[in-house]
Amino acid sequence: MTRPEAVRFLRTQATMAFPEGRLLALREGQLYVLAPDGWTRLRTERPRGSTWLTREEAEDWCENQAWPLHLLNEVPHPGHV
């Protein structure tokens, strides 16, 4: 059995537009943001002030923001966006 690809989650700082911050995912050195149309690729460096989240914290963020939890399993592989 193979292990699933490691995905790390982050949350950006709160802003007026996003009072709970935005959910980010890091996979194989590529950063993505969760957007209404799914995961959108960002630059490779981590935004200033972002904080690391555990998978459980990312699930809590999704539940609080009414995002489906299955999206956490759909972070794309670099080159497949």
Side-chain angles (χ1 to χ4, degrees), residues 25-80:
L26 180 67
R27 173 176 256 168
E28 298 176 31
Q30 180 60 60
L31 200 57
Y32 301 90
V33 63
L34 187 55
D37 59 347
W39 292 100
T40 300
R41 190 171 152 175
L42 295 176
R43 65 183 187 268
T44 56
E45 73 182 50
R46 177 180 149 190
R48 235 183 319 213
S50 59
T51 56
W52 294 106
L53 300 176
T54 63
R55 170 69 186 229
E56 183 176 89
E57 291 169 327
E59 290 173 359
D60 291 344
W61 185 94
C62 284
E63 288 175 348
N64 290 335
Q65 300 302 307
W67 287 89
L69 291 179
H70 71 84
L71 292 172
L72 298 178
N73 297 324
E74 296 178 4
V75 178
H77 292 271
H80 296 105

